[in-house]
Amino acid sequence: MSSPAERYAAAREASEHPHTTAFAARQRFDLDPFQVAGCHALERGRSVLVAAPTGAGKTIVGEFAIHLAMQTPGDKAFYTTPMKALSNQKFRELVDVYGADQVGLLTGDTNINGNARIVVMTTEVLRNMIYADSAALRDLRYVIMDEVHYLADRFRGAVWEEVIIHLPQHVRLVSLSATVSNAEEFGDWLDTVRGDTEVIVSEIRPVPLEQHVLVRDDLLPLFDERAGLATTKVNQELMRIRSFTGSNYDNNRRAQSYRSDRHAGRQAQRPQRGGRRPDARRIERVDRPEVVHLLDRANLLPAIFFIFSRVGCDAAVAQVRRSGLRLTTTEERTEIRAIVEESTRSLQDEDLGVLGYWEWLDDLERGVAAHHAGLLPAFKEVVEELFRRKLVKVVFATETLALGINMPARTVVLEKMEKFNGEARVAITSGEYTQLTGRAGRRGIDVEGHAVVQWTEGMDPQAVAALASRRTYPLNSSFRPTYNMAVNLIDLFGKNRARQILESSFAQFQADRAVVGLARQVREAEASLAGYQKSMECEHGDFVEYGAIRRELSDLEKKNRQDSHAPRGAREKRMKRIQSLRGQMQRHGCHRCPDREAHARWAERYWKLKRQTDRIRRQIETRTGTVARVFDRVVEVLETLDYLTVVDGETSLTDAGRTMRRIYGERDLLVAESLRQGLWKGLDAPSLAAMACCLVYEPRRDEANAGERNLPRGAFRTAYDKTTTLWAELDDLEKDHQLPGTEPLAPGLAGAMHSWARGGMLDRVLIDADMAAGDFVRWAKQTIDLLDQLSIVAEDAALARNARTALDGIRRGIVAYSSM
């Protein structure tokens, strides 16, 4: 029974924050302190940034914002996510709470109840709505930005900053982030651009995480349990294993077994002198089925194995299948089959075999599955649902699963501590380790979660412990002005105001913060330089000048010794300069000073610090106004191409510029210019689909120009060649203006997309595409997005019609089935 003081505190809490109290009473768990703090801030009318570990329950604060909006008739709340899969998942969750009539979904290729009071959407959709001044923004009270740390994403991160900067000031922002090391800095920026923002940081996991290393069939703690939580000392047994050879570890285990057998009074063969046995083996990795079996025996399922390749995920499932391992009961298998059949009943029978349906179903009935981008999106959703229902016990996944999908497990297994980043194998970062292992531990089910790292040859337990101990990583802006952004801002605010708005970006905020630190270094250095200068004052002359001669002479003599193979003319020129400097030095008044060498020591320090200071000054010059300078270059390109015009000092949009306003994507300029020059006139619908695919597709590094030989014939070839020529001209223009440009067109998927838009069979199209069904669907959806834009902005009516026809031709079969 609570004390009078506790009852008084609860009553006071309920009176000061009635909405929080009512909302908390509806939750399955008592709210954690950071969740309560976030709800209180929102109830006081403030915006919030909540940074907390994966699985800690950040979304509760976002859901409370929706709850607040629903208390006032007419108020709206938008919930944004970085991925369509997350949007789909959140949409279903909110429909369960508020009903289908109150919740909408907008993800580019899906439009469900878009005028609802609660709308879930991808961040790009909200950005486009803001620029279009959509009527749906009226009465908007809250925007929840889930996974806001995505603004560090190199390709899509700028969208988050655009939304944050341009949302109406009366809209309260709920920013939900993974634990980042500079949350306060990000919060300071939010407070600067949005006003009245409270930063709430929690590093406490609701379910503690136990860290293990799997060596053979031994599950060893990563940290020494006797050392206490505060020290996080590495388990010394792991350090001893690292210092052993494989055979020594094997013999050490036998020696331990011998000692325990002898202690028990049983006979055992003593290992040979020196700890070696003829049958000693290296530490070998345990097969995946054995690892699964080990976890099952230890009651550590369900588990997610993170394998950093799709091939590895599929191979792992195949290994378990071949081993004959089953993790499900007869009743569970019946339930799995019923769910799968219900979820896939709209798929055509002829497509099931192409998609490997029967093998996939057999794996699911065994309780195992793969989860990666190559899997059909709807198949991934089935895997997620079965895992949440505890019917699938083991999932082998790539790291994309760690990005916010609600799939908590009891255990997370990392097979390797490195991954291929597209160019080379690199060690995973502490942030990635935290994100991956954050899936372990189900609130309300598990007392603790478990992270298991498999031992590999050459593993350093200290390095693993360092990753596990560092829970945070920095959030750095990837913001850069685009052509579409420039024309939208200029149209809305004018050039000067647009420039000022861009200077309020997080990118510039971080650069300016760095400038503050650099400027402090310069001030401190200038004080030191003045002191050095005073110490080398000389009555015989200017020692700063004399020191400069000595330093240049010393540098040239050193270079002359090192560069003995330089051309004869260059060496002769250098020797002449050396002789001249020697003469200047000997004639200088300071050369005769009796304290010359003492002064020279101070001069050396002076010139060394001055060089460093000059370098810092150059850094300041390059950082100040960085974003605005890029904007100026973008504007110059747009003016050169007549998308902008300047009359009486005022910059405004031309007709081409107004078209550019509605074209979004990496190739906004190329698309706009191709439309203006009429390069795609006369293309039929399948050929237009193929062209759009060339503009959105990003080939793997090993593809190079594969696929050019399979390009559609006829008018497409001419249009493709003209578009490629135009790309090269624009690329040169951008480089002339010190802009990075874009990658060449990628035709690798054009033939397959052309065939699909013409009604081609799935099996043939996937063979032509040489990719998994999930990948094809992903690129098909991006092609649809671009075709949808073309159907809206194209002034040529026939082209607009063909874009819509092409869009409908692609959105069929597995592509339509994969849409929400």
Side-chain angles (χ1 to χ4, degrees):
M1 186 175 178
S2 58
S3 68
E6 289 171 332
R7 289 196 298 273
Y8 172 75
R12 183 176 178 181
E13 161 75 15
S15 65
E16 291 182 355
H17 301 99
H19 291 300
T20 301
T21 303
F23 177 76
R26 291 168 37 191
Q27 305 309 309
R28 291 185 300 133
F29 310 107
D30 290 339
L31 297 189
D32 290 333
F34 85 90
Q35 295 169 327
V36 172
C39 294
H40 284 180
L42 286 170
E43 196 165 354
R44 290 194 298 270
R46 308 192 72 190
S47 293
V48 292
L49 165 64
V50 181
T54 302
K58 298 182 290 291
T59 55
I60 283 288
V61 182
E63 289 164 9
F64 178 68
I66 295 171
H67 170 81
L68 284 178
M70 296 303 283
Q71 304 309 301
T72 305
D75 278 0
K76 291 181 178 180
F78 287 173
Y79 196 108
T80 72
T81 77
M83 296 187 298
K84 293 177 182 179
L86 289 178
S87 294
N88 293 342
Q89 189 176 89
K90 202 67 198 177
F91 170 73
R92 288 191 291 268
E93 291 174 5
L94 291 172
V95 165
D96 289 342
V97 176
Y98 294 100
D101 59 325
Q102 297 289 349
V103 186
L105 177 68
L106 299 174
T107 60
D109 60 348
T110 303
N111 186 336
I112 300 173
N113 199 16
N115 292 317
R117 291 181 63 193
I118 306 166
V119 185
V120 183
M121 61 187 69
T122 52
T123 318
E124 282 86 353
V125 169
L126 179 54
R127 186 271 312 272
N128 299 352
M129 289 171 68
I130 291 171
Y131 281 157
D133 194 22
S134 169
L137 295 172
R138 295 188 194 117
D139 301 316
L140 179 61
R141 186 176 175 192
Y142 295 100
V143 168
I144 300 98
M145 302 195 77
D146 204 354
E147 309 283 338
V148 76
H149 50 275
Y150 248 80
L151 68 77
D153 183 81
R154 187 162 58 97
F155 299 105
R156 301 173 56 212
V159 177
W160 272 256
E161 292 190 48
E162 289 179 78
V163 169
I164 291 168
I165 292 169
H166 300 312
L167 270 175
Q169 284 298 311
H170 70 271
V171 176
R172 298 292 85 186
L173 193 65
V174 183
S175 304
L176 307 177
S177 171
T179 309
V180 293
S181 52
N182 59 335
E184 286 77 11
E185 177 188 45
F186 184 49
D188 287 348
W189 174 69
L190 287 172
D191 195 64
T192 300
V193 295
R194 303 294 314 165
D196 206 15
T197 300
E198 188 162 327
V199 179
I200 297 161
V201 179
S202 173
E203 295 189 26
I204 301 171
R205 284 177 49 96
V207 180
L209 184 65
E210 294 290 318
Q211 309 272 355
H212 312 274
V213 177
L214 180 62
V215 186
R216 280 272 182 84
D217 54 356
D218 290 344
L219 206 55
L220 304 176
L222 174 59
F223 296 107
D224 190 339
E225 297 166 330
R226 296 165 301 179
L229 292 175
T231 60
T232 58
K233 183 180 178 183
V234 177
N235 185 350
Q236 291 306 296
E237 186 174 354
L238 291 173
M239 298 306 294
R240 285 194 296 272
I241 292 169
R242 185 179 186 238
S243 66
F244 293 153
T245 62
S247 58
N248 279 341
Y249 169 64
D250 219 29
N251 295 324
N252 185 54
R253 294 180 73 205
R254 288 190 178 91
Q256 290 176 338
S257 175
Y258 165 80
R259 287 193 294 270
S260 62
D261 287 348
R262 188 175 63 173
H263 183 73
R266 294 191 299 270
Q267 293 294 319
Q269 182 184 354
R270 180 185 290 274
Q272 294 179 357
R273 186 182 297 274
R276 296 192 174 275
R277 290 177 60 96
D279 61 342
R281 300 188 305 275
R282 295 169 63 82
I283 302 176
E284 296 174 357
R285 290 175 65 85
V286 182
D287 286 343
R288 285 160 179 152
E290 293 180 50
V291 178
V292 172
H293 190 53
L294 183 152
L295 295 178
D296 191 21
R297 288 199 315 269
N299 196 29
L300 293 179
L301 297 182
I304 299 171
F305 285 65
F306 281 110
I307 301 172
F308 300 116
S309 83
R310 303 174 187 184
V311 173
C313 292
D314 293 334
V317 173
Q319 274 184 293
V320 174
R321 187 191 322 121
R322 286 194 302 271
S323 75
L325 188 64
R326 282 191 184 275
L327 302 170
T328 53
T329 64
T330 303
E331 293 76 16
E332 287 173 330
R333 289 194 286 276
T334 301
E335 189 177 352
I336 288 169
R337 181 175 283 269
I339 292 170
V340 172
E341 289 178 349
E342 173 62 25
S343 301
T344 59
R345 57 188 168 85
S346 61
L347 268 178
Q348 298 177 18
D349 289 343
E350 60 265 28
D351 289 344
L352 294 178
V354 177
L355 296 169
Y357 171 85
W358 303 109
E359 195 172 76
W360 175 65
L361 176 58
D362 179 52
D363 293 332
L364 293 176
E365 289 182 345
R366 291 177 182 276
V368 297
H371 189 289
H372 55 68
L375 201 63
L376 195 66
F379 279 22
K380 282 195 290 187
E381 290 176 10
V382 169
V383 171
E384 292 159 13
E385 178 64 21
L386 293 176
F387 194 79
R388 280 194 293 272
R389 294 195 188 194
K390 296 180 279 189
L391 295 170
V392 163
K393 321 290 184 180
V394 173
V395 169
F396 297 97
T398 55
E399 70 264 39
T400 53
L401 187 147
L403 300 175
I405 301 262
N406 181 24
M407 275 184 68
R410 176 165 294 171
T411 304
V412 163
V413 180
L414 300 182
E415 291 198 344
K416 293 181 179 178
M417 301 301 287
E418 62 179 21
K419 66 175 186 175
F420 185 69
N421 67 357
E423 296 179 352
R425 298 207 68 82
V426 296
I428 64 172
T429 65
S430 59
E432 289 167 334
Y433 184 91
T434 301
Q435 191 85 347
L436 296 169
T437 57
R439 292 279 143 216
R442 300 162 299 175
R443 190 167 187 173
I445 301 174
D446 299 320
V447 176
E448 60 197 14
H450 298 267
V452 177
V453 176
Q454 283 196 259
W455 185 273
T456 54
E457 202 66 35
M459 176 184 284
D460 181 3
Q462 292 278 18
V464 178
L467 287 179
S469 301
R470 285 197 301 269
R471 297 284 177 185
T472 58
Y473 53 102
L475 178 62
N476 294 313
S477 172
S478 60
F479 184 83
R480 62 178 179 82
T482 65
Y483 299 107
N484 170 272
M485 188 192 303
V487 294
N488 272 290
L489 291 179
I490 289 171
D491 194 47
L492 290 170
F493 306 109
K495 181 182 174 184
N496 292 336
R497 174 72 180 126
R499 201 175 190 277
Q500 291 171 5
I501 287 170
L502 292 177
E503 286 180 327
S504 69
S505 67
F506 187 45
Q508 192 58 57
F509 185 83
Q510 286 191 306
D512 290 342
R513 280 247 169 145
V515 165
V516 170
L518 292 171
R520 186 177 65 250
Q521 291 181 43
V522 168
R523 286 195 302 274
E524 292 170 353
E526 285 173 343
S528 298
L529 287 171
Y532 294 163
Q533 200 163 357
K534 188 170 182 63
S535 297
M536 62 183 181
E537 284 179 357
C538 179
E539 60 185 16
H540 295 275
D542 183 351
F543 214 95
V544 173
E545 181 182 80
Y546 178 72
I549 296 170
R550 280 182 57 140
R551 170 165 278 278
E552 184 183 355
L553 177 59
S554 174
D555 288 346
L556 282 175
E557 288 177 336
K558 181 179 178 182
K559 190 171 184 180
N560 207 40
R561 289 192 300 272
Q562 293 174 343
D563 196 13
S564 58
H565 300 294
R568 183 176 176 183
R571 284 180 60 79
E572 288 178 352
K573 184 177 179 182
R574 193 184 300 142
M575 285 304 301
K576 283 183 181 178
R577 179 60 180 163
I578 288 172
Q579 293 301 329
S580 172
L581 288 169
R582 284 174 178 164
Q584 290 179 46
M585 184 180 71
Q586 289 166 2
R587 289 190 299 272
H588 200 286
C590 292
H591 194 64
R592 295 184 294 277
C593 175
D595 296 324
R596 182 184 67 197
E597 291 311 309
H599 292 164
R601 284 193 292 273
W602 286 108
E604 183 64 27
R605 293 171 189 169
Y606 175 90
W607 285 107
K608 185 176 181 180
L609 182 58
K610 188 175 186 307
R611 282 183 173 181
Q612 293 173 353
T613 307
D614 289 344
R615 187 168 63 247
I616 293 171
R617 284 199 180 98
R618 287 194 295 272
Q619 282 182 265
I620 291 174
E621 290 170 6
T622 58
R623 292 191 182 195
T624 305
T626 304
V627 176
R629 279 202 302 276
V630 174
F631 172 72
D632 290 341
R633 294 168 192 157
V634 166
V635 168
E636 288 169 7
V637 169
L638 291 170
E639 289 175 353
T640 301
L641 295 172
D642 296 323
Y643 285 87
L644 297 173
T645 184
V646 181
V647 178
D648 297 331
E650 292 294 321
T651 303
S652 59
L653 275 59
T654 63
D655 289 342
R658 280 184 278 279
T659 299
M660 170 77 79
R661 278 199 63 182
R662 294 174 292 170
I663 298 173
Y664 303 97
E666 287 287 310
R667 298 189 185 276
D668 46 8
L669 182 61
L670 179 58
V671 171
E673 197 65 5
S674 296
L675 287 175
R676 186 164 68 161
Q677 294 186 22
L679 301 187
W680 303 336
K681 281 186 178 181
L683 290 180
D684 61 14
S687 296
L688 191 57
M691 180 60 70
C693 182
C694 291
L695 293 165
V696 300
Y697 179 53
E698 296 171 13
R700 299 188 305 270
R701 289 184 173 274
D702 56 354
E703 283 186 57
N705 288 322
E708 284 205 21
R709 61 184 180 280
N710 296 322
L711 290 180
R713 300 181 183 279
F716 175 86
R717 293 288 183 105
T718 303
Y720 174 78
D721 290 342
K722 288 181 178 178
T723 307
T724 300
T725 300
L726 174 60
W727 166 82
E729 293 169 354
L730 294 177
D731 193 59
D732 289 342
L733 179 63
E734 288 175 313
K735 285 174 180 171
D736 288 344
H737 287 84
Q738 298 179 335
L739 291 169
T742 57
E743 292 294 317
L745 273 68
L749 192 55
M753 196 61 69
H754 183 269
S755 176
W756 181 250
R758 289 177 57 202
M761 297 295 290
L762 178 63
D763 57 347
R764 185 69 252 171
V765 168
L766 291 182
I767 290 171
D768 290 345
D770 188 26
M771 64 176 55
D775 290 320
F776 179 75
V777 168
R778 178 159 52 95
W779 294 119
K781 287 184 174 183
Q782 293 201 30
T783 303
I784 286 171
D785 285 346
L786 179 53
L787 289 169
D788 187 41
Q789 292 179 44
L790 296 180
S791 71
I792 295 169
V793 304
E795 295 181 0
D796 182 273
L799 180 62
R801 279 196 307 273
N802 279 339
R804 181 56 56 183
T805 303
L807 186 157
D808 293 336
I810 295 174
R811 190 185 281 154
R812 65 181 180 86
I814 63 169
V815 178
Y817 168 69
S818 298
S819 299
M820 183 75 189

